[in-house]
Amino acid sequence: QVQLVESGGGLVQAGGSLRLSCAASGSISSIRAMGWYRQAPGKQRELVATITSGRSTNYADSVKGRFTISRDNDKNTVYLQMNSLRPEDTAIYYCNIARRFGGDLWGQGTQVTVSS
C-alpha cells in the first residue's frame, strides 16, 4: 500500500526557513506531477507549488520568489524549500502526487506555523 510521508514542518519565526519533504513508502508509477497544497484556518485549500515530470514548475503568486519546489524521481520524493516565511504562510501543508493511472495521492499533512 502506497503512502506519502511528510516531514519538515514546525514552528519558525518570521523570516526563517523550513524545508518540507514528502516521500512515498512504495514505488509509484506514471507520475504526472507532484505538488504542495496548504490550508489555513478558515480558508480553503490552495495550491502552493507544482512540478511536472519534466520539471517545469508553477507557484502561487503569494509564494513566488520565496518557495522552491523540487523532486527526486529515484526516491519518489518531493521537496518544498520555504524561505522568508511570513505569518500568513501558517497552514497545514499537504503533499500531492498526480498519477496518470490510479488518481491522486495525498500526504497526511504537516503543520507549518510562522510567528511574528
Side-chain angles (χ1 to χ4, degrees), residues 2-6 22-25 28 95-97 105-108:
V2 176
Q3 287 186 308
L4 304 184
V5 180
E6 301 181 25
C22 175
S25 62
I28 303 176
C95 172
N96 169 264
I97 297 180
L105 298 173
W106 291 90
Q108 81 282 2

Side-chain angles (χ1 to χ4, degrees), residues 9-18 66-67 82-90 112-116:
L11 174 65
V12 65
Q13 294 184 32
S17 298
L18 287 172
R66 300 187 297 120
F67 291 10
M82 305 184 294
N83 298 327
S84 301
L85 283 163
R86 305 165 181 170
E88 52 263 40
D89 295 319
T90 296
V112 172
T113 302
V114 184
S115 64
S116 59

Side-chain angles (χ1 to χ4, degrees), residues 29-35 96-101 103-105:
S29 62
S30 302
I31 296 175
R32 294 187 63 190
M34 307 177 80
N96 169 264
I97 297 180
R99 299 181 294 178
R100 182 180 180 186
F101 306 105
D104 288 8
L105 298 173

Side-chain angles (χ1 to χ4, degrees), residues 62-80:
S62 60
V63 307
K64 203 168 188 177
R66 300 187 297 120
F67 291 10
T68 302
I69 188 171
S70 61
R71 64 184 292 177
D72 186 327
N73 289 339
D74 292 337
K75 298 179 180 179
N76 283 332
T77 302
V78 61
Y79 305 92
L80 185 67

